[in-house]
Amino acid sequence: DAMVIQNPRYQVTQFGKPVTLSCSQTLNHNVMYWYQQKSSQAPKLLFHYYDKDFNNEADTPDNFQSRRPNTSFCFLDIRSPGLGDAAMYLCATGRGGRVYSNQPQHFGDGTRLSIL
Amino acid sequence: QKEVEQNSGPLSVPEGAIASLNCTYSDRGSQSFFWYRQYSGKSPELIMFIYSNGDKEDGRFTAQLNKASQYVSLLIRDSQPSDSATYLCAVIGSSASKIIFGSGTRLSIRP
């Protein structure tokens, strides 16, 4: 089945220790998104790729970086995680142009990140 | 004022009844509207999308859009316990530069 896969489902890291979350898709969608969601809050967009074109949200901390080596894969790197970065991280894909498409997004199952 | 507002709930509805979830948005030029269902600890799952004023039906779900009043709603007929979840409203604004999620309404279907 075509889908969006995130690994790992649960990640525990130490304060300040870099961590990488991964996302892969078989939908062949040209846009990939990373969201951060904390308990009882709305998903917050961190950045998105339109093909290889990286688009950062203005309020995304510099601590968060992303890579998209090809259409199928996208990575979220947190360079020095702080306690406030503990959250669910959601990857989503969609079809669209350089601005947000009116097409819906398809989410992976998420990675729950804990910081010790 | 938040860009997309939802009542956080919980909204408690008896099994078999109609659940009505509402969402208002601030950008009058918004064009695309989505409803996602999110079970606890899981990722959002698309339920409905609507672009034009009026009603759109899909099975037990009906999305209603009123651009003049800037609200979008989701009706769930014949509510089932499996419908118990948080429902997120999402809107793409007029500039198409951002998708905004509401913080969700928690729905509980009581047997």
Side-chain angles (χ1 to χ4, degrees), chain A residues 70-103:
Chain A
N70 53 53
T71 300
S72 301
F73 286 87
C74 196
F75 300 96
L76 170 62
D77 301 308
I78 308 177
R79 293 190 297 188
S80 182
L83 297 178
D85 296 328
M88 174 79 89
Y89 289 87
L90 298 165
C91 173
T93 71
R95 289 193 208 93
R98 290 191 177 276
V99 293
Y100 282 95
S101 164
N102 64 356
Q103 297 298 308

Side-chain angles (χ1 to χ4, degrees), chain B residues 18-37:
Chain B
I18 296 175
S20 178
L21 304 162
N22 298 313
C23 171
T24 58
Y25 58 94
S26 60
D27 182 349
R28 182 168 288 278
S30 296
Q31 296 295 325
S32 306
F33 308 87
F34 307 92
W35 282 101
Y36 286 86
R37 178 176 64 198

Side-chain angles (χ1 to χ4, degrees), chain B residues 9 53 55 63-64 68 107:
Chain B
N53 271 331
D55 294 1
Q64 298 176 318
L107 175 66

